[in-house]
């Protein structure tokens, strides 16, 4: 009774309520509009960060390796298969488990809770790696700039401009402002939710193409305030269209910023949190 939980992904709330938590509230991510905002960039900043098409994010090689190290190498083929299926179907991990053959289920029969947690983590991170890589590869013809860890240089070809990881507070606001089109690909542990990039880029009044997460339509008017793809095959066509239509993408970015300032800043989220807490404990 003395615990209130606030979850950025609504898909986890039912499980927590079944554990006995009495107050579980969905509270999506948001942005700091004082940090992420339209910025008039200097010539040196433009030279450093400007790009027609861009992606910023980790390759997920290191976290995938970390969680794979926690499971037996004999399970790697099964993890690869489950990760591939997750990418293609967007099922949840429990749903994927139900699709396994009897022999595959036998490989994990008798697993403890801890072993299942490690198996799920390894599968989700591997799926995120495969999915994110496939989405970024869909940008190849546009010779995009990719900021992230050093593993991108190994994963991608010469068509990509691989740049170092950006400091979130000091550099990403500049990078977002310097590029025409940003791509977003959500991690697989976020079953329904959107990540911070969905708020951070548009509030800079810059253009984002993101994957169509289940809650996106609750947060934005898709097609008018933000652009989304349902499959990676749609990415090249969307990028090509909006590269050649700067006025259209500019109008979408402006409407996206207006929506965020109206409903999706950290101040909005804190007000809801405080209201809930006062209502329960005040």
């Amino acid at each position: 009774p003395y615990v209130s939980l606030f979850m950025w992904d609504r898909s986890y709330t039912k499980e927590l309520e079944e554990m006995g938590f009495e107050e579980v509230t969905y509270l999506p991510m948001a942005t700091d509009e004082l940090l992420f905002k339209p910025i008039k960039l200097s010539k040196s900043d433009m030279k450093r960060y400007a790009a027609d098409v861009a992606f910023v994010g980790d390759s997920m090689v290191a976290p995938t390796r970390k969680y794979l190290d926690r499971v037996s190498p004999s399970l790697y083929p099964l993890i690869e298969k489950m990760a591939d299926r997750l990418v293609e179907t967007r099922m949840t991990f429990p749903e994927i488990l139900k699709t396994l053959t009897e022999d595959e289920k036998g490989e994990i029969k008798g697993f403890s809770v801890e072993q299942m947690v490690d198996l799920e983590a390894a599968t989700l991170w591997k799926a995120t790696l495969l999915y994110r890589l496939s989405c970024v590869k869909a940008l190849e013809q546009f010779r995009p700039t990719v900021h992230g860890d050093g593993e991108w240089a190994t994963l991608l070809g010469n068509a990509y401009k691989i740049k170092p990881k950006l400091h979130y507070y000091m550099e990403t606001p500049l990078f977002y402002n310097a590029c025409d089109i940003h791509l977003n690909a959500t991690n697989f542990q976020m079953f329904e939710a959107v990540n911070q990039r969905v708020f951070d880029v548009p509030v800079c009044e810059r253009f984002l193409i993101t994957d169509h997460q289940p809650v996106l339509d609750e947060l934005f008017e898709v097609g008018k305030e933000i652009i989304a793809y349902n499959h990676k095959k749609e990415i090249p066509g969307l990028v090509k269209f909006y590269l050649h239509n700067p006025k259209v993408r500019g109008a979408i970015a402006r409407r996206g910023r207006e929506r965020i300032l109206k409903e999706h800043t950290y101040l909005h989220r804190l007000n809801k949190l405080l209201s809930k807490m006062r209502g329960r404990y005040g």
Side-chain angles (χ1 to χ4, degrees):
Y2 299 109
V3 176
S4 291
L5 297 178
F6 295 85
M7 307 300 297
W8 43 257
D9 194 323
R10 190 163 47 207
S11 62
Y12 293 101
T13 57
K14 183 179 178 181
E15 185 177 351
L16 288 162
E17 287 169 346
E18 289 173 350
M19 291 178 183
F21 292 102
E22 298 174 7
E23 186 73 27
V24 185
T25 302
Y26 167 57
L27 193 68
M29 290 189 180
T31 190
D32 179 355
E33 81 283 7
L34 301 181
L35 177 65
F36 292 95
K37 58 187 177 182
I39 300 171
K40 187 174 182 179
L41 299 174
S42 65
K43 289 183 179 180
S44 61
D45 283 337
M46 284 298 294
K47 184 177 180 180
R48 182 176 181 182
Y49 297 115
D52 293 335
V53 181
F55 177 83
V56 56
D58 196 276
S59 70
M60 299 301 172
V61 169
T64 300
R65 188 182 297 126
K66 172 185 173 182
Y67 285 101
L68 283 173
D69 286 344
R70 296 185 182 183
V71 302
S72 169
S74 66
L75 291 171
Y76 289 179
L78 178 61
I79 289 171
E80 186 85 26
K81 180 179 179 179
M82 291 193 294
D84 282 334
R85 195 171 294 169
L86 276 170
V87 172
E88 289 305 314
T89 65
R90 301 295 293 190
M91 289 181 180
T92 65
F93 184 72
E95 289 170 340
I96 290 293
L97 290 179
K98 293 177 183 178
T99 70
L100 299 182
T101 66
E102 291 304 315
D103 287 342
E104 289 167 342
K105 290 177 181 177
E107 293 185 58
I108 59 176
K109 186 177 180 180
F111 267 25
S112 66
V113 172
E114 288 78 12
Q115 287 174 307
M116 287 303 295
V117 167
D118 288 340
L119 180 67
E120 180 175 2
T123 303
L124 290 176
W125 284 112
K126 181 66 175 181
T128 297
L129 187 160
L130 295 172
Y131 173 65
R132 180 169 284 188
L133 178 60
S134 68
C135 291
V136 175
K137 279 187 172 180
L139 298 174
E140 183 174 5
Q141 63 182 285
F142 306 104
R143 303 188 65 81
T145 293
V146 177
H147 274 280
D149 59 288
E151 299 290 349
W152 281 118
T154 304
L155 295 170
L156 299 172
N158 295 328
Y160 297 81
K161 304 178 187 74
I162 309 300
K163 301 291 183 70
K165 185 180 293 187
L166 294 173
H167 188 286
Y168 180 72
Y169 298 100
M170 302 295 292
E171 295 180 301
T172 51
L174 301 175
F175 182 62
Y176 289 159
N177 272 275
C179 302
D180 292 333
I181 294 179
H182 293 275
L183 180 73
N184 183 48
T186 311
N187 290 1
F188 267 73
Q189 74 268 29
M190 302 177 76
F191 296 116
E192 295 186 16
V194 298
N195 58 26
Q196 284 173 278
R197 195 174 291 109
V198 171
F199 303 107
D200 290 347
V201 174
V203 82
C204 290
E205 209 169 294
R206 306 304 292 178
F207 187 79
L208 180 74
I209 298 175
T210 186
D211 41 6
H212 204 148
Q213 288 288 91
V215 303
L216 188 65
D217 293 280
E218 299 176 20
L219 302 167
F220 294 92
E221 188 174 342
V222 178
K224 185 177 179 180
E225 299 171 338
I226 198 165
I227 297 301
Y229 58 93
N230 292 297
H231 193 278
K232 62 191 177 188
K233 292 179 181 178
E234 300 172 21
I235 293 173
L238 288 170
V239 172
K240 187 175 293 185
F241 174 81
Y242 287 105
L243 267 180
H244 291 100
N245 290 275
K247 290 184 178 180
V248 177
R249 71 170 188 263
I252 292 169
R254 283 191 296 275
R255 288 192 290 265
R257 172 172 164 80
E258 290 169 3
R259 169 74 71 168
I260 291 166
L261 293 177
K262 185 179 178 181
E263 298 180 9
H264 302 313
T265 69
Y266 285 130
L267 185 59
H268 293 109
R269 303 294 185 257
L270 284 168
N271 280 334
K272 182 175 179 180
L273 187 150
L274 291 170
S275 176
K276 276 282 184 180
M277 295 297 283
R278 288 192 183 107
R280 190 174 188 206
Y281 302 112

